[in-house]
Amino acid sequence: SVQGGGKPGCPACRMPTLEPGTERRFLLELAKRQVLEKLHLMERPNVTQPVPRLAVTNALRHLHVGQAQRDRQPGPFAPWDGPEADELGYEIISFAKTEFSSPSSMGLRFQFSQGTGQDVHILQAQLWLYVRAPQSGLSPVTLRVSQAGALLSERQLEARAGGWHTVSLLPALQAFFRGQEKTLRLELECRGCQANATAGSDAGSSHQPFLVAKATVRKPGQQVAKR
Amino acid sequence: SLRCDQTSDLCCRKDYYVDFRDIGWNDWIIKPEGYQINYCMGQCPPHVASSPGMASSSHTAVLNLIRAHNLQPGGQSCCVPTHRRPLSILYFDRNSNILKTDIPDMIVEACGCS
């Protein structure tokens, strides 16, 4: 029932007839609750380290470029036909923080907050790196990505290879999300590169390395009995 | 389904747009700027009870009148959503990662009498 003598609505529907003054306040509160509930969030996230708008724009542009390329050429990632009925599909972009940096190698750290009690299935995972073209321009450039010493990927780039490059991280990220860890650490080594491997190592740069993943999330207990 | 207006108090869809700036959430929700939090309201008198949407034809209305006369007294019919659509949302999580997802059944498109 609504204060102020509003006509009670249909009792079975629990939707009160809203007076104009209360409607706005009621609906804004309802919207907050609805968005948090549908995103399985307990409270609204507080973004303590905002990402530079340019880095966000860059990442979103590459996300869609990557998506368009994948849709055109059936390559390692078949076009994604969307999540099952009892799952929520996500695309995730995670920006790297640099842990250490030397002339030819650096450490990248990605922070995830796996939803409590949700099992995350990674369907696609790529690391995007911006590599500055080597001054010499002669020697080939070799990019190696490792995790805790285990080699994940090694790529030879043409000598004049300045620009964005992708490295697939699918098995590593699937294994990571099966664990309980929330921090993913990668080591990047670049042979034949000048200075540190990627031009975007400092956090404020629009060439910050980032990781793109596609996932489905299912809350436990939501197993649908398939007949 | 009818959109609510002042003339009728029959079951209809009430449109209401929530701008995320009004609730101070535009810092973590990148896109969209807001969404329609529409809801259903209005009466469901016997002759339109259990009609899926108010756009029913006169044929259905006649059928409903016949049904209404045979209706057991006290049957309560409610004005409820009959069709909803998803909302695509792009937002920051607490680690400044960007997530994009489609929230199913988020926006009420049509109302009808249960």
Side-chain angles (χ1 to χ4, degrees):
Chain A
S1 70
V2 180
Q3 311 309 329
K7 277 187 291 151
C10 156
C13 315
R14 295 185 305 282
M15 186 66 208
T17 308
L18 295 166
E19 297 303 327
T22 56
E23 179 186 49
R24 176 176 164 74
R25 203 171 54 247
F26 177 86
L27 289 174
L28 293 186
E29 281 313 306
L30 184 65
K32 286 182 180 179
R33 224 177 325 140
Q34 197 180 36
V35 169
L36 291 179
E37 181 192 313
K38 296 275 189 174
L39 294 180
H40 306 306
L41 296 173
M42 305 300 281
E43 59 195 357
R44 59 145 286 170
N46 280 315
V47 184
T48 50
Q49 297 165 327
V51 180
R53 274 270 169 209
L54 208 47
V56 172
T57 312
N58 241 339
L60 291 176
R61 184 165 0 102
H62 284 93
L63 178 73
H64 293 299
V65 162
Q67 179 66 52
Q69 282 164 353
R70 280 195 299 277
D71 289 351
R72 259 201 314 275
Q73 301 137 14
F77 299 117
W80 187 37
D81 54 3
E84 300 278 332
D86 59 324
E87 296 173 328
L88 213 49
Y90 282 91
E91 289 177 67
I92 305 163
I93 299 178
S94 185
F95 292 93
K97 309 278 186 305
T98 304
E99 287 218 300
F100 64 85
S101 174
S102 74
S104 68
S105 70
M106 60 195 289
L108 302 179
R109 174 170 52 85
F110 299 91
Q111 195 66 37
F112 296 98
S113 45
Q114 275 134 311
T116 45
Q118 291 175 347
D119 56 342
V120 182
H121 295 277
I122 300 294
L123 308 170
Q124 297 170 15
Q126 283 186 319
L127 175 62
W128 286 74
L129 295 166
Y130 187 83
V131 179
R132 201 190 344 250
Q135 273 116 16
S136 65
L138 298 178
S139 58
V141 173
T142 305
L143 209 49
R144 291 163 60 96
V145 182
S146 318
Q147 182 188 13
L151 181 65
L152 299 180
S153 170
E154 180 169 274
R155 273 197 63 180
Q156 193 120 38
L157 312 174
E158 301 94 52
R160 296 162 305 288
W164 285 99
H165 295 274
T166 61
V167 174
S168 171
L169 287 182
L170 190 54
L173 212 64
Q174 285 173 328
F176 173 77
F177 272 94
R178 275 197 293 269
Q180 290 309 313
E181 263 297 306
K182 294 192 177 177
T183 304
L184 175 69
R185 286 185 169 81
L186 299 176
E187 297 94 42
L188 207 56
E189 205 182 330
C190 194
R191 293 183 186 152
C193 294
Q194 306 302 322
N196 46 22
T198 71
S201 57
D202 47 309
S205 152
S206 65
H207 290 139
Q208 218 169 319
F210 61 92
L211 193 152
V212 174
K214 228 173 209 165
T216 57
V217 177
R218 181 183 306 170
K219 288 190 76 158
Q222 250 184 343
Q223 312 300 335
V224 179
K226 302 253 190 238
R227 274 186 285 282
Chain B
S1 164
L2 289 179
R3 285 181 53 180
C4 295
D5 60 23
Q6 307 316 322
T7 57
S8 148
D9 67 351
L10 273 183
C11 172
C12 58
R13 187 192 78 206
K14 183 83 187 295
D15 289 355
Y16 195 92
Y17 180 76
V18 172
D19 189 316
F20 290 128
R21 281 168 298 193
D22 292 347
I23 49 180
W25 280 15
N26 54 308
D27 61 327
W28 70 279
I29 297 180
I30 305 167
K31 284 287 176 198
E33 279 84 15
Y35 79 104
Q36 292 288 135
I37 184 167
N38 306 334
Y39 61 92
C40 301
M41 65 183 288
Q43 305 303 317
C44 283
H47 68 281
V48 291
S50 73
S51 60
M54 303 304 290
S56 51
S57 66
S58 54
H59 170 73
T60 318
V62 168
L63 266 183
N64 284 331
L65 276 173
I66 295 168
R67 202 184 310 155
H69 284 291
N70 304 334
L71 198 67
Q72 301 310 322
Q76 173 71 48
S77 170
C78 287
C79 181
V80 293
T82 52
H83 180 237
R84 298 171 190 256
R85 64 182 156 89
L87 173 72
S88 265
I89 190 166
L90 192 69
Y91 64 98
F92 284 111
D93 74 2
R94 64 171 179 261
N95 299 301
S96 302
N97 298 323
I98 296 178
L99 285 92
K100 176 179 177 289
T101 190
D102 295 334
I103 304 178
D105 300 335
M106 185 71 168
I107 297 169
V108 173
E109 281 277 87
C111 302
C113 291
S114 62

